[in-house]
Amino acid sequence: MNAKEKYQAELRQSEQDHHTPTAGAMCGHILANLIIQKNKLRQANYYLKGDSKAFSRQIENTIAKEEELFDHLNQLLLDEGEVIPTTTAEFVQYTMLEESGQLKYETPETMLFTAVKDFNTQNLFVTRAIKLAEKEEKFALGLFLQSLYGWLKAQSRLFQSFIGHDLKEGLLVEE
């Protein structure tokens, strides 16, 4: 098969995996969400003003960690023989986070609370991926995803605390 045929086969497999779903397909959403959130965090960090600028170091650390997690998850997926999303179009297609140029003009609280909601949205996919990885006996992937879940929860708490919110304030929490 040439490159075009291989890519067409990848697209067909991806479509099938997203309808099944599989751990790999769910991780494609996680990767897309990490990329989009990293962009959103940069946007917020560039436009934070006043006292909220003190939170910049935390945002920078979060961005750096998301980059590390993104690369690690890609490597784990490749180790499992999964195909990973690599184009902007795929990330836009698979993300469940929404970008907005308007966000940079919102209040710092709104910008940071948007990140909190994004951390929680990401964990919806992480919990599904954990179950699928266990079912598919992809143990290293499952362990990573459990760690990612905890890290996302911790980020949500840190951001909520900074803006003066209780842990679940303003969130629709699935019980």
Side-chain angles (χ1 to χ4, degrees):
M1 276 198 289
N2 64 31
K4 183 176 181 177
E5 293 166 333
K6 286 180 183 179
Y7 185 63
Q8 291 305 313
E10 174 188 321
L11 292 176
R12 284 190 300 276
Q13 185 64 50
S14 177
E15 184 70 24
Q16 180 181 339
D17 288 351
H18 278 85
H19 289 295
T20 304
T22 66
M26 201 57 60
C27 286
H29 291 291
I30 294 167
L31 290 166
N33 289 338
L34 285 168
I35 284 285
I36 299 302
Q37 186 175 39
K38 188 175 63 165
N39 289 342
K40 290 176 72 175
L41 287 171
R42 278 196 177 107
Q43 178 191 41
N45 205 28
Y46 295 150
Y47 285 91
L48 284 176
K49 294 187 178 13
D51 293 340
S52 62
K53 208 56 179 153
F55 201 63
S56 279
R57 176 59 68 200
Q58 177 61 45
I59 294 172
E60 291 166 6
N61 291 341
T62 301
I63 291 167
K65 184 66 176 179
E66 284 191 339
E67 187 71 32
E68 177 187 316
L69 292 165
F70 177 85
D71 288 335
H72 191 178
L73 179 54
N74 275 312
Q75 292 301 317
L76 285 170
L77 289 167
L78 291 171
D79 292 346
E80 291 289 353
E82 297 286 346
V83 176
I84 57 175
T86 56
T87 67
T88 301
E90 289 169 316
F91 296 134
V92 169
Q93 179 183 353
Y94 298 146
T95 191
M96 295 300 144
L97 306 183
E98 295 181 14
E99 292 180 295
S100 169
Q102 166 182 319
L103 186 61
K104 66 186 163 220
Y105 300 112
E106 297 289 351
T107 65
E109 181 178 318
T110 298
M111 284 189 261
L112 296 176
F113 186 64
T114 298
V116 169
K117 291 188 286 188
D118 289 347
F119 292 128
N120 284 273
T121 297
Q122 287 187 72
N123 259 342
L124 295 174
F125 292 90
V126 173
T127 55
R128 290 180 186 125
I130 290 168
K131 292 173 186 164
L132 291 165
E134 289 171 355
K135 179 181 171 189
E136 297 168 24
E137 297 183 347
K138 295 180 177 178
F139 303 114
L141 182 59
L143 286 172
F144 171 85
L145 292 167
Q146 289 174 27
S147 177
L148 176 59
Y149 175 85
W151 183 81
L152 289 166
K153 293 291 273 188
Q155 297 315 295
S156 181
R157 177 185 50 79
L158 288 170
F159 279 59
Q160 284 281 62
S161 178
F162 183 80
I163 57 178
H165 288 185
D166 291 330
L167 180 64
K168 295 180 182 180
E169 188 173 331
L171 300 173
L172 296 174
V173 181
E174 291 183 8
E175 298 285 331

